[in-house]
Amino acid sequence: MEQSRHFFANQADALSQQTTLICAPEVYTATVVDVIQAHPDRNRGSALEIGPGSGTLLKALSPHFQQVTGLDNAQEMLNNTASAVSDLNNITLLQGDFIELPNTHRYDLIVAAMVVHHLPSPPNFFSQAAALLAPGGLLVVAELCDHDQDWVKDSCGDVWLGFDPEALTQWGAQAGLSQTQQQFLAQRNGFRVQVSAFIAEPQPMVLANKHSNEISNKPSNTTQLRKINDRL
């Protein structure tokens, strides 16, 4: 992640031009918003976008949520975002590493658009997203399908050359997230975009019964999950 931070800190101004060559935010923003609007859970309290870039998606999310946070590990990138969303009073920008973000606040929506291919460990991304989502919350990932254009590693800081769609499905399932949608957009500039949605299923409630004393003496799943989260 430190390598990623340095790259985006040094390339903040030039990166927008490179991004347009691959996939401008306008290509997938409408699809991402449609996927969110179709989500049956209508809780629209708080949303988190990782790597907000030009702020295009933040502005699209703003009317639908009470509070929207944009998170980036490079302050230089956030400076560009800030100038684009300065007129919106429900958007907060935060500098930090997504993987290190504490789960003291749970989000109703987490969006990562053209972000995961910059990360060293996609499975860790999905695990962290699951830990930060409220029960019934939604994770939406807009990503490149797998490709062979390796020039993007040097020009755009990509770690991965896109992803096989089945890989995203598998990583989501491993993190305890249920995939609800997977859409594919038309190929553009030699790249194809996939938009996947995952839901954090609410934990089942344990009903009290005559064996409650026996149950209370056993290690709880909640305790085990808390210990797992502490290690993320």
Side-chain angles (χ1 to χ4, degrees), residues 120-162:
S121 175
N124 285 352
F125 162 82
F126 279 91
S127 296
Q128 174 70 337
L132 292 174
L133 280 173
L138 190 69
L139 169 66
V140 179
V141 177
E143 258 303 338
L144 298 175
C145 294
D146 45 334
H147 61 86
D148 59 2
Q149 301 193 50
D150 58 2
W151 61 268
V152 299
K153 291 185 175 181
D154 293 330
S155 298
C156 303
D158 292 16
V159 177
W160 303 90
L161 299 181

Side-chain angles (χ1 to χ4, degrees), residues 59-123:
K59 290 188 286 186
L61 294 175
S62 176
H64 303 289
F65 289 85
Q66 296 176 14
Q67 182 63 41
V68 182
T69 300
L71 174 72
D72 202 293
N73 61 5
Q75 183 61 51
E76 291 79 3
M77 293 296 293
L78 285 178
N79 291 342
N80 291 343
T81 308
S83 61
V85 300
S86 60
D87 58 330
L88 300 173
N89 57 17
N90 68 332
I91 292 180
T92 300
L93 300 180
L94 179 65
Q95 181 185 7
D97 188 336
F98 174 69
I99 298 299
E100 297 177 356
L101 198 65
N103 61 353
T104 51
H105 178 81
R106 299 298 180 96
Y107 296 91
D108 301 304
L109 170 73
I110 296 177
V111 179
M114 302 300 136
V115 168
V116 181
H117 63 250
H118 291 291
L119 304 179
S121 175

Side-chain angles (χ1 to χ4, degrees), residues 146-207:
D146 45 334
H147 61 86
D148 59 2
Q149 301 193 50
D150 58 2
W151 61 268
V152 299
K153 291 185 175 181
D154 293 330
S155 298
C156 303
D158 292 16
V159 177
W160 303 90
L161 299 181
F163 300 103
D164 185 312
E166 293 184 1
L168 299 184
T169 302
Q170 179 181 353
W171 291 327
Q174 290 173 345
L177 301 171
S178 300
Q179 189 174 51
T180 61
Q181 288 197 47
Q182 191 171 47
Q183 299 186 33
F184 299 91
L185 307 185
Q187 184 165 302
R188 181 186 178 96
N189 299 331
F191 299 93
R192 194 179 188 194
V193 175
Q194 53 185 313
V195 178
S196 298
F198 304 83
I199 190 172
E201 299 291 353
Q203 295 297 317
M205 295 181 63
V206 178
L207 298 179

